[in-house]
Amino acid sequence: MSYFGTDGIRGKFGEFPIHPQFLIKLGYATGKVLLANQAAPNENHRPNVVIGKDTRLSGYVIEACLQAGFNAAGVDVHMLGTIPTPAIAHLTRSFHADAGVVISASHNPFYDNGIKFFSNEGKKLSDEIQQAINEKIDEIKDINVVIDTPEALGKSYRVEDAKGRYIEFCKGTFPYNLNLNALKIVVDCANGAGYSVAPRVLRELGASVIAIGDKPDGININDNVGSTHPANLQQAVLDHDAQVGIALDGDGDRIIMVNEKGELVDGDGILYILATQAEQQVDGVVGTLMTNMGLQLAFDKAGIAFERAKVGDRYVMQGLEKNGWVLGGESSGHILTLDKASTGDAIVAGLQVLAVMAQRKQSLSELMKGYTQLPQKLVNVRLAQKQDPYTFPELANAFKAAEEKLTGRGRLLIRQSGTEPLIRVMVESDDEIECDMLANELAEKVRQVMA
């Protein structure tokens, strides 16, 4: 059995697998796999992991369970506290840890939580290591983990300066000869992991910062704030007469921006700026099946190679590594800049856009000239459980008819969410009215047939 989805292990807290009993087993099993994979086993050196979390209330329980499991297996744990996901990837490498552990459900509501792992390189775990963890978990009955010898137990350490280390890393990705003194920036921290980091990074680089979504209480993460709910940020940019707005998601690896006119600049727009305005020629960019066709057309015109991957930052990463490229991402705001960071990092990606603004002395709207987004409509249909819509002949036929209708001037994408029981219906067309109507019609049909 595989316990891992497309983005780690995720679910509602208190229900399997996000339940204390399972989480102790998960920590123990992962620890045993790390011990077994030591390049040179040494009785004087135990494997070590770093653990960080977002602001969800359930994170305290999950942290304690994983810590206990790792220590029971003989693995040392460095506790980073509340810190963005990309910070954990960075500190995994900085500490020369054997793995990094993220406790977060990203953009999901507060009652969900999850666990995902980074390798010692600050990248997603390999499929082979995940499978080894699956097999080790299945060997454990109930929570009867085996303690070999008490003297072999792991230790735990609280890292007091984790945030400071990450802040300095982020600032180090911004050109030393530039500053943000001329910019007023509104940053929406989603009441999440970046609430005490993102504003400091921007202020220390010289910006005048207005922070919103920066008062987490354990349950207000992503609650009408952050990259998935940007309306408040758009209004705040206008109200404060700011030059730019930045919205993070709950764990700080996703970014959406807002220009001085209050208009959204999504992940596709960020990729356009970073690819076309870079000081050095960008060889190619990896997007996903959700990437707007307008971005592909803009890259064709600029002579920049473009390739689509399956939805998910791990697939974007695979595409970049295959081609030897450094820039890729998703419309939702996961942006990979592999010359700066080992994983998607909202703060680092935002700083690269701000650096272009500072270097060229141009507004965000001016930098977007040359990119015309085709009308795109995405409708999410929530189900009681995960199901494949293509197994229903009535739906398969409707999708085929829509694809034929859009041939040559648009496209249709139907996909299941990798983390939630959602069917995503996306229509792209050169006709905005048709785009909207067709997406809603197909979503309603999915709802009627599958709900």
Side-chain angles (χ1 to χ4, degrees), residues 180-426:
L180 301 177
N181 294 351
L183 294 181
K184 182 188 290 186
I185 302 172
V186 181
V187 57
D188 183 345
C189 304
N191 291 319
Y195 81 97
S196 64
V197 172
R200 279 183 60 187
V201 170
L202 296 171
R203 288 190 181 108
E204 290 182 20
L205 288 172
S208 172
V209 178
I210 297 96
I212 62 176
D214 63 334
K215 296 176 176 58
D217 61 10
I219 62 175
N220 63 357
I221 185 171
N222 300 316
D223 186 9
N224 202 36
V225 289
S227 62
T228 53
H229 301 88
N232 289 336
L233 175 63
Q234 291 175 277
Q235 189 60 50
V237 167
L238 296 175
D239 289 346
H240 292 279
D241 195 26
Q243 283 77 48
V244 63
I246 294 174
L248 313 181
D249 67 341
D251 70 332
D253 65 354
R254 181 184 296 192
I255 179 174
I256 295 293
M257 301 186 77
V258 173
N259 68 22
E260 73 283 3
K261 301 175 184 178
E263 299 166 338
L264 286 177
V265 177
D266 65 5
D268 291 346
I270 292 169
L271 287 176
Y272 173 76
I273 292 171
L274 296 182
T276 60
Q277 309 294 333
E279 289 189 6
Q280 295 183 335
Q281 175 67 35
V282 172
D283 294 326
V285 177
V286 175
T288 73
L289 296 173
M290 298 295 288
T291 301
N292 193 278
M293 190 181 290
L295 183 62
Q296 183 175 348
L297 295 174
F299 284 159
D300 287 344
K301 187 175 181 180
I304 297 172
F306 177 75
E307 185 176 292
R308 291 184 187 271
K310 290 193 293 185
V311 174
D313 56 349
R314 84 160 41 223
Y315 301 112
V316 175
M317 176 70 80
Q318 289 172 3
L320 292 174
E321 291 176 338
K322 180 189 71 174
N323 291 295
W325 299 342
V326 299
L327 180 62
E330 303 184 86
S331 307
S332 59
H334 283 118
I335 306 296
L336 290 160
T337 53
L338 297 186
D339 57 335
K340 300 291 189 297
S342 64
T343 190
D345 189 317
I347 297 174
V348 169
L351 288 178
Q352 307 321 301
V353 176
L354 295 175
V356 175
M357 292 176 64
Q359 178 71 47
R360 295 180 177 271
K361 295 181 172 55
Q362 290 183 307
S363 67
L364 196 55
S365 61
E366 288 173 326
L367 294 176
M368 287 292 289
K369 290 178 179 177
Y371 169 48
T372 302
Q373 189 176 56
L374 289 186
Q376 186 183 83
K377 179 72 174 182
L378 174 64
V379 183
N380 293 326
V381 181
R382 183 170 291 276
L383 306 174
Q385 59 186 10
K386 291 184 179 181
Q387 299 179 77
D388 181 358
Y390 280 95
T391 60
F392 296 84
E394 183 179 352
L395 292 177
N397 291 334
F399 299 154
K400 183 179 179 181
E403 288 170 347
E404 291 174 351
K405 187 176 183 180
L406 293 167
T407 299
R409 55 190 187 82
R411 62 194 185 101
L412 170 70
L413 180 64
I414 307 292
R415 59 176 290 269
Q416 299 179 72
S417 167
T419 59
E420 301 176 83
L422 289 178
I423 303 298
R424 305 192 191 280
V425 179
M426 192 275 285

Side-chain angles (χ1 to χ4, degrees), residues 132-188:
I133 295 171
N134 286 326
E135 293 171 0
K136 181 61 69 173
I137 290 172
D138 288 339
E139 292 176 10
I140 304 169
K141 305 301 180 184
D142 299 321
I143 56 171
N144 295 319
V145 298
V146 178
I147 306 299
D148 298 323
T149 54
E151 61 268 24
L153 294 173
K155 299 178 180 179
S156 292
Y157 308 88
R158 179 69 61 181
V159 181
E160 301 295 343
D161 62 342
K163 289 180 182 178
R165 292 182 183 218
Y166 177 60
I167 287 169
E168 289 306 311
F169 163 72
C170 290
K171 288 163 57 181
T173 70
F174 190 82
Y176 74 95
N177 60 322
L178 298 176
N179 61 63
L180 301 177
N181 294 351
L183 294 181
K184 182 188 290 186
I185 302 172
V186 181
V187 57
D188 183 345

Side-chain angles (χ1 to χ4, degrees), residues 31-86:
K32 287 299 184 183
V33 170
L34 293 176
L35 280 162
N37 282 282
Q38 274 187 300
N42 183 340
E43 63 181 15
N44 296 316
H45 174 75
R46 287 185 290 265
N48 67 97
V49 302
V50 298
I51 299 180
K53 61 186 179 181
D54 67 20
T55 56
R56 292 164 216 266
L57 199 57
S58 58
Y60 293 95
V61 177
I62 297 173
E63 180 184 53
C65 291
L66 291 174
Q67 176 188 0
F70 277 117
N71 288 162
V75 173
D76 289 346
V77 176
H78 297 274
M79 317 290 284
L80 305 178
T82 300
I83 199 164
T85 288

Side-chain angles (χ1 to χ4, degrees), residues 18-33:
I18 310 301
H19 187 281
Q21 186 172 359
F22 176 81
L23 296 169
I24 293 173
K25 290 170 59 175
L26 175 63
Y28 180 84
T30 304
K32 287 299 184 183
V33 170

